[in-house]
Amino acid sequence: MTTNSTVRQHPLTLSADDRARVEEVEQLARRGASSLPALVAGLDAPSWAVRRAVVSALARVGTPAVQPLCDVLTQRRDNEARIAAAVDALVAASGDVEGPVEALGDDANPAIVCDAAQVLGRRRSRQSVPLLARLTVHSDDNVAVAAIEALGRIGGGAAVDALLASLGSGNFFRIFPAIDVLGRSGDPTVVPALMALLADPFYALEACRALGRTGQEAAVPALVGLLQRGNDALVRVAAVALVEIHDAQVARFGGARTVPSVLRSASTEVHPIGRRLAQVIAGADAGEKTSLARLLGWVGGADAAAGLLKLLDSQDLGVSRAAAAALGELGAEADAQILQALREGDSTRRRVLLPLVGKRSAAVPDVLLCLEDRDAMVRALAAETLSRIGDTSAVTALFARLADEDPRVVQAAVGAIQSLGSETTEALALEAARSADTRQRRAALRIVAYFGYPRGLDALLLAMRDPDERLRDAAIYGLPFIDDPRAVDALLSAASHESERTRATAMRALGQTDKQARITSTLLGGLNDRDPWVRYYACQSLGKLNEEAAADAIVALANDDAGQVRVAVVDALAHLHTESAMAALRRAASSTDVDVRRAALLGLGVARRPDALPVLLEAVHSDDPATRLVALSAVAEYDAPETLPALLRAAGDRDDSVRSAAVGFLATRTGQHATQSLVSLLGDVMLREQVVGALALPVDGRLAGLLAALEVADDATAPLLVAALARMRRADARAALMQALAGASPAGRRASAPAVAALGTVEAREALDRAAHRDEDPDVRRACLLALGR
């Protein structure tokens, strides 16, 4: 069907003119500095894509392009797009940029000075800190704010000192951005100055937020004090800040509990923090309510439980989940209120509350009431809760739910009965297996099968003769678990049943029996069945029984018309160890059928034969992400020189799941080289948290690798390496932190100071005291003093 309407291009699609213009820019870039006038003229191109190409080209030219770009900022300010592009090019440029840009800091035009400050800040130019510090007291507020933001990007002791000086400027246009930047710096030395602002009503809220962003433990007592004496708005902001600090501490040091412990110790009858937090819920937004919920869980007590129950009704899923998690953390303290709410609540409330019920028999009567709820989800949750409580008195009531109209409820009841067991379960199951209700009978057969009751064989055999296929399936499933020759006889008989479904189920069940000649013969016959699922399960079972004599017959099905049978062939061959089986697997690894190919790759990985590794390494470069993932998991099984480079390359894969899997495989590999590989991935923001978690796994070679990395770490990587050591929570990791405080790079020593302080030992305090007086780096000495609380 045709239409006369105009076809709109995707906004990121380049037009033919843009593509041609970008190609021209690339040609100019290849000529180098001789093309500078033409490239600079392209900074105001109407097309964003062309301007991006020009910026990239100018950045590659380097030093020769710097002065012409600075001239744009000083002489050609009639086009905002041109100015923004010139700034971007200076930020990205190689060569000597700082000198010419710093010269712009004395220009009479404040807008030019702001651009210079932005460039220096985005370049994180430490050499420019003195100039930027001077600009923070510039007569123009915009210049001062630009300098403050630039110093925040750069960080370090000198930058922080200049930012702290801005707090005393008396100019709120400068103080507010300085507070924000100082908080985002994460530098422990800013905490005292920010805490001092808490006493000023004009700056208290912003200072409170900034203290949270620092993530520093030293701010906790002051923020907890605000919960007791602050107004409602301040209490809510302080709650968010405390949660931010807690999360930062956990990320750095593992199971940090400073905030919860200070909260509990500060809450008194005179200043009940739980009651105060509950009072400010009404005016809070969703983010604040989430933080309040977490604090209430840490404070504990009846007031906290009452406040959390209110938050459970929030329309925001994040808030209700946080409240539920906090109630769960309260444990026995909240049991009475949870059970009362369970009795009196509707189905919606019960859905939320049931997962919070503790493992106490006293809760059973109230949970049993929920088994009769009109909401099927509530009934299913009630069955799961009874299973978790572990009181066998609930078994009889659970059997009554086997006839429930909702399959989820039946599944949950069966699972609970299987989990609980009891002296009465066998009798109840045998009785239910004779029920006239098909659903109840089928569920009862599953229970008989699960426990393998010998007295249940007659019920299983009776069901084998039932016209209902699902009943026969349930019976067949249980026969392999009954130690009686009649059970195997029934399975062999079912393998030739007129129903294709029954034959397939019998073939599957035979794979769970012992290897016998008559079983093997029956399964070999199943390979020729007209139904593909019968062939599938026959093939699969021969593999499970490791029937190597069947290898040739299995290989003969490699070109079966049914895709699932071809996959089963590959899966079965992976369990066999004959040369013909391995050769067939290698052939299947290059199949055009992606399912067959993936199954073959998995099978080769299980076999771990050296001659299969080249096939797997080739598959890691497949165009299909799922195939790459399967191949990577197989390669990870090998202890070969090629494995580590393959995993490291995969960590840069374009697919998220492949990247994540690669990091997971690297995490468990031993040796210092594996640690070095993980450290090299810390620059990837998307993987950073997972990499830190991987580095925290204490495998052989990890500590040595982390200490080696800390010897050369910069300000960006040092805190992450220290966090990995702190999360290990082992004696040798604690010793490594002490070693890092003495022998790492300056950035590594600074990052180690708060982690060593968190150890809380006499030895740790002595080490910090020595470093505070003797370390050659003034920023390290200052960090150690702050960690000591001085």
mmCIF file with all atom_site columns, all heavy atoms in Angstrom, residues 233-250:
data_model
loop_
_atom_site.group_PDB
_atom_site.id
_atom_site.type_symbol
_atom_site.label_atom_id
_atom_site.label_alt_id
_atom_site.label_comp_id
_atom_site.label_asym_id
_atom_site.label_entity_id
_atom_site.label_seq_id
_atom_site.pdbx_PDB_ins_code
_atom_site.Cartn_x
_atom_site.Cartn_y
_atom_site.Cartn_z
_atom_site.occupancy
_atom_site.B_iso_or_equiv
_atom_site.pdbx_formal_charge
_atom_site.auth_seq_id
_atom_site.auth_comp_id
_atom_site.auth_asym_id
_atom_site.auth_atom_id
_atom_site.pdbx_PDB_model_num
ATOM 1   N N   . ALA A 1 233 ? 11.174 19.259 57.178 1.00 0.00 ? 233 ALA A N   1
ATOM 2   C CA  . ALA A 1 233 ? 11.926 19.210 55.918 1.00 0.00 ? 233 ALA A CA  1
ATOM 3   C C   . ALA A 1 233 ? 13.361 18.762 56.156 1.00 0.00 ? 233 ALA A C   1
ATOM 4   O O   . ALA A 1 233 ? 13.912 17.957 55.401 1.00 0.00 ? 233 ALA A O   1
ATOM 5   C CB  . ALA A 1 233 ? 11.913 20.578 55.244 1.00 0.00 ? 233 ALA A CB  1
ATOM 6   N N   . LEU A 1 234 ? 13.969 19.248 57.224 1.00 0.00 ? 234 LEU A N   1
ATOM 7   C CA  . LEU A 1 234 ? 15.356 18.893 57.531 1.00 0.00 ? 234 LEU A CA  1
ATOM 8   C C   . LEU A 1 234 ? 15.462 17.423 57.926 1.00 0.00 ? 234 LEU A C   1
ATOM 9   O O   . LEU A 1 234 ? 16.439 16.745 57.575 1.00 0.00 ? 234 LEU A O   1
ATOM 10  C CB  . LEU A 1 234 ? 15.881 19.799 58.648 1.00 0.00 ? 234 LEU A CB  1
ATOM 11  C CG  . LEU A 1 234 ? 17.399 19.943 58.797 1.00 0.00 ? 234 LEU A CG  1
ATOM 12  C CD1 . LEU A 1 234 ? 18.041 20.304 57.463 1.00 0.00 ? 234 LEU A CD1 1
ATOM 13  C CD2 . LEU A 1 234 ? 17.729 20.988 59.850 1.00 0.00 ? 234 LEU A CD2 1
ATOM 14  N N   . VAL A 1 235 ? 14.480 16.942 58.649 1.00 0.00 ? 235 VAL A N   1
ATOM 15  C CA  . VAL A 1 235 ? 14.489 15.524 59.039 1.00 0.00 ? 235 VAL A CA  1
ATOM 16  C C   . VAL A 1 235 ? 14.437 14.634 57.797 1.00 0.00 ? 235 VAL A C   1
ATOM 17  O O   . VAL A 1 235 ? 15.164 13.640 57.693 1.00 0.00 ? 235 VAL A O   1
ATOM 18  C CB  . VAL A 1 235 ? 13.304 15.213 59.978 1.00 0.00 ? 235 VAL A CB  1
ATOM 19  C CG1 . VAL A 1 235 ? 13.155 13.698 60.185 1.00 0.00 ? 235 VAL A CG1 1
ATOM 20  C CG2 . VAL A 1 235 ? 13.512 15.895 61.330 1.00 0.00 ? 235 VAL A CG2 1
ATOM 21  N N   . ARG A 1 236 ? 13.590 15.010 56.859 1.00 0.00 ? 236 ARG A N   1
ATOM 22  C CA  . ARG A 1 236 ? 13.477 14.192 55.640 1.00 0.00 ? 236 ARG A CA  1
ATOM 23  C C   . ARG A 1 236 ? 14.784 14.204 54.834 1.00 0.00 ? 236 ARG A C   1
ATOM 24  O O   . ARG A 1 236 ? 15.235 13.177 54.336 1.00 0.00 ? 236 ARG A O   1
ATOM 25  C CB  . ARG A 1 236 ? 12.300 14.684 54.789 1.00 0.00 ? 236 ARG A CB  1
ATOM 26  C CG  . ARG A 1 236 ? 10.938 14.382 55.400 1.00 0.00 ? 236 ARG A CG  1
ATOM 27  C CD  . ARG A 1 236 ? 9.818  14.645 54.407 1.00 0.00 ? 236 ARG A CD  1
ATOM 28  N NE  . ARG A 1 236 ? 9.570  16.061 54.216 1.00 0.00 ? 236 ARG A NE  1
ATOM 29  C CZ  . ARG A 1 236 ? 8.671  16.770 54.898 1.00 0.00 ? 236 ARG A CZ  1
ATOM 30  N NH1 . ARG A 1 236 ? 7.922  16.179 55.825 1.00 0.00 ? 236 ARG A NH1 1
ATOM 31  N NH2 . ARG A 1 236 ? 8.488  18.050 54.651 1.00 0.00 ? 236 ARG A NH2 1
ATOM 32  N N   . VAL A 1 237 ? 15.386 15.376 54.701 1.00 0.00 ? 237 VAL A N   1
ATOM 33  C CA  . VAL A 1 237 ? 16.648 15.475 53.951 1.00 0.00 ? 237 VAL A CA  1
ATOM 34  C C   . VAL A 1 237 ? 17.758 14.734 54.688 1.00 0.00 ? 237 VAL A C   1
ATOM 35  O O   . VAL A 1 237 ? 18.600 14.063 54.068 1.00 0.00 ? 237 VAL A O   1
ATOM 36  C CB  . VAL A 1 237 ? 17.020 16.954 53.726 1.00 0.00 ? 237 VAL A CB  1
ATOM 37  C CG1 . VAL A 1 237 ? 18.410 17.072 53.110 1.00 0.00 ? 237 VAL A CG1 1
ATOM 38  C CG2 . VAL A 1 237 ? 15.996 17.620 52.829 1.00 0.00 ? 237 VAL A CG2 1
ATOM 39  N N   . ALA A 1 238 ? 17.781 14.826 56.012 1.00 0.00 ? 238 ALA A N   1
ATOM 40  C CA  . ALA A 1 238 ? 18.793 14.113 56.794 1.00 0.00 ? 238 ALA A CA  1
ATOM 41  C C   . ALA A 1 238 ? 18.641 12.602 56.636 1.00 0.00 ? 238 ALA A C   1
ATOM 42  O O   . ALA A 1 238 ? 19.632 11.862 56.594 1.00 0.00 ? 238 ALA A O   1
ATOM 43  C CB  . ALA A 1 238 ? 18.699 14.506 58.265 1.00 0.00 ? 238 ALA A CB  1
ATOM 44  N N   . ALA A 1 239 ? 17.409 12.142 56.538 1.00 0.00 ? 239 ALA A N   1
ATOM 45  C CA  . ALA A 1 239 ? 17.173 10.709 56.343 1.00 0.00 ? 239 ALA A CA  1
ATOM 46  C C   . ALA A 1 239 ? 17.780 10.241 55.020 1.00 0.00 ? 239 ALA A C   1
ATOM 47  O O   . ALA A 1 239 ? 18.437 9.203  54.951 1.00 0.00 ? 239 ALA A O   1
ATOM 48  C CB  . ALA A 1 239 ? 15.676 10.411 56.373 1.00 0.00 ? 239 ALA A CB  1
ATOM 49  N N   . VAL A 1 240 ? 17.556 11.019 53.965 1.00 0.00 ? 240 VAL A N   1
ATOM 50  C CA  . VAL A 1 240 ? 18.136 10.672 52.658 1.00 0.00 ? 240 VAL A CA  1
ATOM 51  C C   . VAL A 1 240 ? 19.657 10.671 52.739 1.00 0.00 ? 240 VAL A C   1
ATOM 52  O O   . VAL A 1 240 ? 20.336 9.776  52.203 1.00 0.00 ? 240 VAL A O   1
ATOM 53  C CB  . VAL A 1 240 ? 17.651 11.666 51.576 1.00 0.00 ? 240 VAL A CB  1
ATOM 54  C CG1 . VAL A 1 240 ? 18.361 11.408 50.255 1.00 0.00 ? 240 VAL A CG1 1
ATOM 55  C CG2 . VAL A 1 240 ? 16.144 11.565 51.402 1.00 0.00 ? 240 VAL A CG2 1
ATOM 56  N N   . ALA A 1 241 ? 20.223 11.666 53.413 1.00 0.00 ? 241 ALA A N   1
ATOM 57  C CA  . ALA A 1 241 ? 21.678 11.769 53.535 1.00 0.00 ? 241 ALA A CA  1
ATOM 58  C C   . ALA A 1 241 ? 22.267 10.575 54.286 1.00 0.00 ? 241 ALA A C   1
ATOM 59  O O   . ALA A 1 241 ? 23.303 10.027 53.900 1.00 0.00 ? 241 ALA A O   1
ATOM 60  C CB  . ALA A 1 241 ? 22.050 13.073 54.243 1.00 0.00 ? 241 ALA A CB  1
ATOM 61  N N   . LEU A 1 242 ? 21.607 10.164 55.354 1.00 0.00 ? 242 LEU A N   1
ATOM 62  C CA  . LEU A 1 242 ? 22.106 9.021  56.133 1.00 0.00 ? 242 LEU A CA  1
ATOM 63  C C   . LEU A 1 242 ? 22.086 7.735  55.313 1.00 0.00 ? 242 LEU A C   1
ATOM 64  O O   . LEU A 1 242 ? 23.001 6.908  55.400 1.00 0.00 ? 242 LEU A O   1
ATOM 65  C CB  . LEU A 1 242 ? 21.271 8.867  57.404 1.00 0.00 ? 242 LEU A CB  1
ATOM 66  C CG  . LEU A 1 242 ? 21.563 9.895  58.499 1.00 0.00 ? 242 LEU A CG  1
ATOM 67  C CD1 . LEU A 1 242 ? 20.464 9.874  59.558 1.00 0.00 ? 242 LEU A CD1 1
ATOM 68  C CD2 . LEU A 1 242 ? 22.923 9.623  59.146 1.00 0.00 ? 242 LEU A CD2 1
ATOM 69  N N   . VAL A 1 243 ? 21.046 7.573  54.508 1.00 0.00 ? 243 VAL A N   1
ATOM 70  C CA  . VAL A 1 243 ? 20.992 6.380  53.650 1.00 0.00 ? 243 VAL A CA  1
ATOM 71  C C   . VAL A 1 243 ? 22.107 6.425  52.611 1.00 0.00 ? 243 VAL A C   1
ATOM 72  O O   . VAL A 1 243 ? 22.742 5.403  52.320 1.00 0.00 ? 243 VAL A O   1
ATOM 73  C CB  . VAL A 1 243 ? 19.611 6.272  52.975 1.00 0.00 ? 243 VAL A CB  1
ATOM 74  C CG1 . VAL A 1 243 ? 19.624 5.218  51.868 1.00 0.00 ? 243 VAL A CG1 1
ATOM 75  C CG2 . VAL A 1 243 ? 18.549 5.921  54.011 1.00 0.00 ? 243 VAL A CG2 1
ATOM 76  N N   . GLU A 1 244 ? 22.366 7.610  52.049 1.00 0.00 ? 244 GLU A N   1
ATOM 77  C CA  . GLU A 1 244 ? 23.457 7.730  51.073 1.00 0.00 ? 244 GLU A CA  1
ATOM 78  C C   . GLU A 1 244 ? 24.791 7.364  51.700 1.00 0.00 ? 244 GLU A C   1
ATOM 79  O O   . GLU A 1 244 ? 25.611 6.669  51.091 1.00 0.00 ? 244 GLU A O   1
ATOM 80  C CB  . GLU A 1 244 ? 23.512 9.154  50.523 1.00 0.00 ? 244 GLU A CB  1
ATOM 81  C CG  . GLU A 1 244 ? 22.425 9.485  49.520 1.00 0.00 ? 244 GLU A CG  1
ATOM 82  C CD  . GLU A 1 244 ? 22.634 10.845 48.883 1.00 0.00 ? 244 GLU A CD  1
ATOM 83  O OE1 . GLU A 1 244 ? 22.728 11.838 49.631 1.00 0.00 ? 244 GLU A OE1 1
ATOM 84  O OE2 . GLU A 1 244 ? 22.709 10.916 47.651 1.00 0.00 ? 244 GLU A OE2 1
ATOM 85  N N   . ILE A 1 245 ? 25.025 7.837  52.925 1.00 0.00 ? 245 ILE A N   1
ATOM 86  C CA  . ILE A 1 245 ? 26.287 7.517  53.605 1.00 0.00 ? 245 ILE A CA  1
ATOM 87  C C   . ILE A 1 245 ? 26.376 6.022  53.875 1.00 0.00 ? 245 ILE A C   1
ATOM 88  O O   . ILE A 1 245 ? 27.425 5.389  53.661 1.00 0.00 ? 245 ILE A O   1
ATOM 89  C CB  . ILE A 1 245 ? 26.411 8.325  54.912 1.00 0.00 ? 245 ILE A CB  1
ATOM 90  C CG1 . ILE A 1 245 ? 26.596 9.806  54.599 1.00 0.00 ? 245 ILE A CG1 1
ATOM 91  C CG2 . ILE A 1 245 ? 27.578 7.808  55.762 1.00 0.00 ? 245 ILE A CG2 1
ATOM 92  C CD1 . ILE A 1 245 ? 26.592 10.711 55.811 1.00 0.00 ? 245 ILE A CD1 1
ATOM 93  N N   . HIS A 1 246 ? 25.290 5.444  54.350 1.00 0.00 ? 246 HIS A N   1
ATOM 94  C CA  . HIS A 1 246 ? 25.287 4.003  54.618 1.00 0.00 ? 246 HIS A CA  1
ATOM 95  C C   . HIS A 1 246 ? 25.617 3.221  53.348 1.00 0.00 ? 246 HIS A C   1
ATOM 96  O O   . HIS A 1 246 ? 26.468 2.317  53.365 1.00 0.00 ? 246 HIS A O   1
ATOM 97  C CB  . HIS A 1 246 ? 23.920 3.575  55.146 1.00 0.00 ? 246 HIS A CB  1
ATOM 98  C CG  . HIS A 1 246 ? 23.764 2.090  55.275 1.00 0.00 ? 246 HIS A CG  1
ATOM 99  N ND1 . HIS A 1 246 ? 24.263 1.373  56.330 1.00 0.00 ? 246 HIS A ND1 1
ATOM 100 C CD2 . HIS A 1 246 ? 23.173 1.181  54.451 1.00 0.00 ? 246 HIS A CD2 1
ATOM 101 C CE1 . HIS A 1 246 ? 23.994 0.095  56.164 1.00 0.00 ? 246 HIS A CE1 1
ATOM 102 N NE2 . HIS A 1 246 ? 23.329 -0.047 55.022 1.00 0.00 ? 246 HIS A NE2 1
ATOM 103 N N   . ASP A 1 247 ? 24.963 3.555  52.247 1.00 0.00 ? 247 ASP A N   1
ATOM 104 C CA  . ASP A 1 247 ? 25.194 2.824  51.000 1.00 0.00 ? 247 ASP A CA  1
ATOM 105 C C   . ASP A 1 247 ? 26.630 2.999  50.513 1.00 0.00 ? 247 ASP A C   1
ATOM 106 O O   . ASP A 1 247 ? 27.240 2.064  49.988 1.00 0.00 ? 247 ASP A O   1
ATOM 107 C CB  . ASP A 1 247 ? 24.214 3.290  49.924 1.00 0.00 ? 247 ASP A CB  1
ATOM 108 C CG  . ASP A 1 247 ? 22.785 2.839  50.208 1.00 0.00 ? 247 ASP A CG  1
ATOM 109 O OD1 . ASP A 1 247 ? 22.596 1.954  51.078 1.00 0.00 ? 247 ASP A OD1 1
ATOM 110 O OD2 . ASP A 1 247 ? 21.857 3.366  49.569 1.00 0.00 ? 247 ASP A OD2 1
ATOM 111 N N   . ALA A 1 248 ? 27.165 4.226  50.685 1.00 0.00 ? 248 ALA A N   1
ATOM 112 C CA  . ALA A 1 248 ? 28.557 4.461  50.277 1.00 0.00 ? 248 ALA A CA  1
ATOM 113 C C   . ALA A 1 248 ? 29.514 3.638  51.130 1.00 0.00 ? 248 ALA A C   1
ATOM 114 O O   . ALA A 1 248 ? 30.494 3.074  50.628 1.00 0.00 ? 248 ALA A O   1
ATOM 115 C CB  . ALA A 1 248 ? 28.888 5.945  50.382 1.00 0.00 ? 248 ALA A CB  1
ATOM 116 N N   . GLN A 1 249 ? 29.226 3.556  52.422 1.00 0.00 ? 249 GLN A N   1
ATOM 117 C CA  . GLN A 1 249 ? 30.086 2.784  53.319 1.00 0.00 ? 249 GLN A CA  1
ATOM 118 C C   . GLN A 1 249 ? 30.036 1.296  52.988 1.00 0.00 ? 249 GLN A C   1
ATOM 119 O O   . GLN A 1 249 ? 31.048 0.602  53.005 1.00 0.00 ? 249 GLN A O   1
ATOM 120 C CB  . GLN A 1 249 ? 29.663 3.011  54.779 1.00 0.00 ? 249 GLN A CB  1
ATOM 121 C CG  . GLN A 1 249 ? 29.899 4.412  55.286 1.00 0.00 ? 249 GLN A CG  1
ATOM 122 C CD  . GLN A 1 249 ? 31.377 4.738  55.470 1.00 0.00 ? 249 GLN A CD  1
ATOM 123 O OE1 . GLN A 1 249 ? 32.086 4.040  56.179 1.00 0.00 ? 249 GLN A OE1 1
ATOM 124 N NE2 . GLN A 1 249 ? 31.830 5.788  54.812 1.00 0.00 ? 249 GLN A NE2 1
ATOM 125 N N   . VAL A 1 250 ? 28.848 0.818  52.675 1.00 0.00 ? 250 VAL A N   1
ATOM 126 C CA  . VAL A 1 250 ? 28.715 -0.592 52.292 1.00 0.00 ? 250 VAL A CA  1
ATOM 127 C C   . VAL A 1 250 ? 29.476 -0.862 51.006 1.00 0.00 ? 250 VAL A C   1
ATOM 128 O O   . VAL A 1 250 ? 30.155 -1.883 50.861 1.00 0.00 ? 250 VAL A O   1
ATOM 129 C CB  . VAL A 1 250 ? 27.226 -0.975 52.141 1.00 0.00 ? 250 VAL A CB  1
ATOM 130 C CG1 . VAL A 1 250 ? 27.085 -2.346 51.510 1.00 0.00 ? 250 VAL A CG1 1
ATOM 131 C CG2 . VAL A 1 250 ? 26.538 -0.951 53.504 1.00 0.00 ? 250 VAL A CG2 1
#
